[in-house]
Every structure is written in structure tokens, then in C-alpha cells.
Amino acid sequence: MGIERTLSIIKPDAVGKNVIGEIVSRFEANGLQVIGAKMLRLSQDQAQAFYAVHKERPFFNDLVQFMISGPVMVLALEGEDAVLRNRELMGATNPKDAAPGTIRADFAESIDANAVHGSDSLENAAIELKFFFNNDLLPRNVSN
């Protein structure tokens, strides 16, 4: 337990619904501070590289196509137990299984268009943050 950093991506479906502010408000209301943010449109190469861990899975190509279908908002979040807190706020990957009041229950359309991505461990958070943010651009009050 302690102050951690994690990555969240507001995916094209949620960006298209214009709910970025509502999602960020949930992070902030639950003790997660946005310490880095950028809106961008992933290239196919970027999406393939970011999701390379899933390359052998049958959903990989659909995931890549979805992630390049529109802009995303990439967030560096910091706070007490940030990885777990973010995962709890997101809800289950399949929005049908997500608890009421979670981001996915409220904003996701399907298991594929599920509104947000969040790092699943401290180790992956560090890797994912480096993928999108130059460490020099993030405040240095915590090393992660």
C-alpha cells in the first residue's frame, strides 16, 4: 500500500460519447490525481505494440482496429493504491458483469467497446506509463 502511479486510457467509444470529464471526475473523487494527460489517435503500429501481450489471442486484431478507430485520452494517475483503485473504478472487463456505478457498467457498450483500459499491476503500470509518457514530463514526487 502507498502512493502509486498507473495508466488509464479512455477508449474511442467513451471519447465518442463525450464522457471524458465524467470519467476523470470519478478518478478524482476517488483519490486519484491526474498527473499527465494527452489526447491522441493511436497508429496501428502503436496499438499493436501496446497490446503485444495479447498478440496470440483471437481478439488481438479486433482490439487493435477498435483502438485506432478514434481518439483516446491517455492518463497518468497517482494516488494511494492507484492500480487497485483504478481497477475497482473501471469494473469488470465485460460491462454485463461490471458492478453498478463502475465506469464500464455506466459507459461501456460491450466487452470489446468497454470504455477504459487500466494497468493490471505496478509492473505493467510502469511499462505502460513509459510507453506514453516521457518520465521527464511527469512530476517526480514518486518513483514508479
Side-chain angles (χ1 to χ4, degrees), residues 81-125:
D81 300 318
V83 173
L84 179 60
R85 189 168 299 197
N86 183 36
R87 303 287 298 170
E88 290 171 348
L89 291 170
M90 288 190 316
T93 302
N94 186 341
K96 292 177 184 173
D97 299 330
T102 62
I103 293 168
R104 288 179 172 148
D106 292 345
F107 301 117
E109 298 171 18
S110 67
I111 195 167
D112 297 318
N114 65 5
V116 287
H117 164 90
S119 303
D120 62 4
S121 68
L122 272 176
E123 296 77 21
N124 283 339

Side-chain angles (χ1 to χ4, degrees), residues 2-5 33 35 77-80 122 129 135 138-144:
I3 301 297
E4 299 173 349
R5 289 182 176 180
Q33 180 182 6
I35 61 167
L77 303 173
E78 183 175 88
E80 187 80 24
L122 272 176
L129 285 165
N135 283 337
L138 298 176
R140 294 199 178 264
N141 57 340
V142 186
S143 61
N144 187 4

Side-chain angles (χ1 to χ4, degrees), residues 3 8 30 32 38 41 43 67 72 74 80-81 85 87 96 98 100-101 107-108 113-114 125 130:
I3 301 297
S8 180
N30 285 279
L32 297 174
K38 60 171 99 174
R41 189 155 188 157
S43 69
M67 291 302 292
V72 298
V74 181
E80 187 80 24
D81 300 318
R85 189 168 299 197
R87 303 287 298 170
K96 292 177 184 173
F107 301 117
N114 65 5
K130 286 179 185 174

Side-chain angles (χ1 to χ4, degrees), residues 43-63:
S43 69
Q44 185 160 338
D45 288 344
Q46 286 173 313
Q48 287 174 334
F50 185 76
Y51 286 107
V53 65
H54 299 302
K55 189 173 185 174
E56 301 304 319
R57 300 226 172 126
F59 61 82
F60 177 74
N61 288 329
D62 289 340
L63 175 60

